[in-house]
Structures are given as structure tokens and as C-alpha cells.
Amino acid sequence: YFNLPKVLELALHDGRDPRTGAQLGPHTGTNAELGTFEELVTAFERQLNRLVDVKIRGNQVIERLYATQMPAPFLSVLIDDCIARGRDYNAGGARYNNTFIQAVGLGSITDSLAAVKTLVFDAGEMALPELVAALDADFAEEEPLRQRLLHRMPKYGNDDDAADELMVRVFEAGFAAV
């Protein structure tokens, strides 16, 4: 699985995982340096591109392991062309390659970007570092903000064109990364 909201978390922290402190993605600027929504989306896309590359390389290692160390003879008997080719399902016997990256959190990333855009960049009601600090503190002493983000921000799938356009942008950025 490929966690899209985690990519935004990395973009908001200059590629560093705030939980572990590890630098997982490229440096794309601190949240204080991301002065426009476009700069934030660009940071998100750069993180996405890097992490998709890492995910693809990791998947290739796993697929080679399966092909060389983990044959699946029973599965191979049930899949077209494995017997005819004399090859295991994991070693190129199947007619079609079923490799994929399962991106999860499309609705969550869309809602998150819509909320940041609305609250920080459109309305200017708070600075991005303030919002990130509240997120990092899991909204400790910020329950009204959490409720506002949860209930009063644009949401994907609710006939909100702006939010839906953000979903399309994230979706297309994911395809561009592959």
C-alpha cells in the first residue's frame, strides 16, 4: 500500500518523518517556507515522485524474490499460460503482469489539501506553521480547530468542484510519478 496522506505529512516537514525524525523524502522546504498553495502542492508532488520511485524499486526487489525463492506451483496451474510456458506464476509464466501500486487515502489527501488551501491560503485565517503545529500536537488544546477542519471544510465527493479538482490533480500527479 502507498499512503498518500503520509506524502503530504512529509511535504509539510521538508521530507522528514515527524514521528521518527528520519529524512524519508527530498528537502522541499519547511512549512514556513511554503508561502503559497502552489508551493505546497509542488512540494507534495516532489515527495510523491520520490516515494513512488522508492516503492517501484522495492516492488521489483520483492518480485525478484518471489520469482527466485517462492514458487507458487498450485497457483501456476490455475493461471493461463504458466503450464504452456513451463514457468511459475511469479517467474513470468502468466500472460499478464499484475504488478500495481495500491495508493490509499485519496479522499483523505483531497480533504486535507482542500482544508489547508481554504483555511491557510484562501482565507488567511492561520499560518501554515500554526496549522502544522496543531497537527503535530494531535490538536491538543485545539479542539475547536479540529472540529472546524472536520465539519466545515470542503470535502471530496460532496459535489464541491474545488475539492474534486484537487482529487483529480493528486490522481494525475500519481500517474505522472509512475
Side-chain angles (χ1 to χ4, degrees), residues 31-131:
N31 52 62
E33 295 169 330
L34 301 173
T36 67
F37 185 69
E38 284 306 311
E39 290 174 353
L40 173 60
V41 171
T42 298
F44 171 81
E45 290 172 345
R46 285 190 55 213
Q47 297 295 334
L48 181 66
N49 288 336
R50 171 72 173 118
L51 293 172
V52 165
D53 181 59
V54 169
K55 178 69 171 157
I56 288 171
R57 286 188 285 122
N59 281 8
Q60 289 170 339
V61 168
I62 291 168
E63 287 174 8
R64 279 193 301 275
L65 254 169
Y66 272 92
T68 60
Q69 304 296 319
M70 302 176 75
F74 183 70
L75 179 63
S76 298
V77 168
L78 300 174
I79 301 294
D80 288 342
D81 298 331
C82 289
I83 293 174
R85 291 181 179 172
R87 300 182 84 181
D88 187 76
Y89 169 79
N90 291 320
R95 181 180 308 176
Y96 302 107
N97 181 341
N98 71 346
T99 299
F100 60 91
I101 296 174
Q102 178 65 43
V104 296
L106 186 59
S108 296
I109 186 62
T110 302
D111 293 350
S112 298
L113 287 170
V116 172
K117 183 178 186 304
T118 300
L119 190 66
V120 174
F121 296 106
D122 292 348
E125 295 182 31
M126 69 185 323
L128 187 57
E130 292 176 80
L131 178 58

Side-chain angles (χ1 to χ4, degrees), residues 14-35:
D14 195 27
R16 184 184 52 79
D17 184 340
R19 189 179 63 78
T20 65
Q23 189 72 33
L24 299 180
H27 291 285
T28 53
T30 66
N31 52 62
E33 295 169 330
L34 301 173

